[in-house]
Amino acid sequence: MEIILYIAAIIAAIGFLILCVSVGMTLFSLKSILNSLAGTLSGIEGQMEGITRETTSLLSKTNSLAEDIQEKSEQLNSVVYAVKGIGDSVNGLNTSVQQITSSISKSVEHNEEKIAQVVQWSNVAMGIADKWKKRKIIDQAHDMGQEDLYSFEPEQSEKSKRRWGRKK
């Protein structure tokens, strides 16, 4: 029975040896896979550092652009307020002009009769002045001895022919 024990021990030793050899071979093949994986992870790590640097740079530029946009927006707001102020001034000017025009129109309507009388009196005065000039020319002609000048009538200017008066 001792032999069976030795044989069993030898079989167990051979099995253990086969197990150790197969585990060793597996570990050696796993070593090359792990080395390849380590190289790949190193490359990814380098790329991640580059991506991190680019992301940091991009974030810095984005913040700079955001600040620039904010400043320009504030400047644009001042321009918009200035244009609004100009618009308000123009509206105020229009209102003032409308009030003045309305006031003048009311004054003219209120004094329309007086204006018509002034125009009529000025037409009468111009007529008298024209007759006086004719009379003076006729008197001068009498003094010179020319009697056929009675038919002479000087042409009236356009201003004296106009008739001003009330609108109908």
Side-chain angles (χ1 to χ4, degrees):
M1 245 276 206
E2 277 186 40
I3 292 186
I4 294 180
L5 263 169
Y6 287 121
I7 293 178
I10 290 177
I11 290 178
I14 291 174
F16 185 71
L17 180 66
I18 291 174
L19 179 68
C20 285
V21 169
S22 66
V23 168
M25 287 174 54
T26 304
L27 288 177
F28 279 123
S29 72
L30 188 59
K31 180 182 177 184
S32 67
I33 291 172
L34 288 176
N35 285 337
S36 173
L37 185 60
T40 303
L41 288 176
S42 296
I44 289 174
E45 184 180 344
Q47 289 177 354
M48 287 302 290
E49 286 177 8
I51 290 172
T52 303
R53 281 193 304 266
E54 288 294 322
T55 304
T56 305
S57 172
L58 185 61
L59 185 60
S60 173
K61 288 178 183 177
T62 302
N63 288 337
S64 171
L65 283 173
E67 289 174 6
D68 188 42
I69 288 172
Q70 180 66 30
E71 289 174 10
K72 289 184 177 167
S73 174
E74 290 172 1
Q75 291 173 354
L76 185 62
N77 284 343
S78 65
V79 170
V80 168
Y81 292 140
V83 169
K84 183 181 181 290
I86 290 171
D88 291 343
S89 298
V90 169
N91 285 339
L93 181 64
N94 284 342
T95 303
S96 298
V97 168
Q98 287 174 349
Q99 289 174 350
I100 291 171
T101 303
S102 175
S103 173
I104 290 172
S105 175
K106 286 179 183 177
S107 295
V108 167
E109 286 177 9
H110 185 264
N111 296 325
E112 187 174 344
E113 203 170 302
K114 292 178 184 176
I115 293 171
Q117 287 177 353
V118 167
V119 169
Q120 287 174 351
W121 281 108
S122 65
N123 285 338
V124 169
M126 288 168 52
I128 290 172
D130 285 342
K131 286 184 181 182
W132 185 72
K133 285 181 185 177
K134 285 181 190 176
R135 181 76 165 189
K136 191 173 182 182
I137 292 172
I138 290 171
D139 287 344
Q140 286 176 354
H142 273 313
D143 290 342
M144 297 173 120
Q146 299 176 353
E147 304 243 350
D148 61 340
L149 288 178
Y150 282 106
S151 63
F152 174 76
E153 292 185 21
E155 292 185 25
Q156 292 182 347
S157 67
E158 284 295 316
K159 288 184 180 178
S160 64
K161 287 183 181 180
R162 290 186 184 162
R163 299 281 185 223
W164 297 94
R166 299 174 91 180
K167 293 182 183 177
K168 294 183 181 180

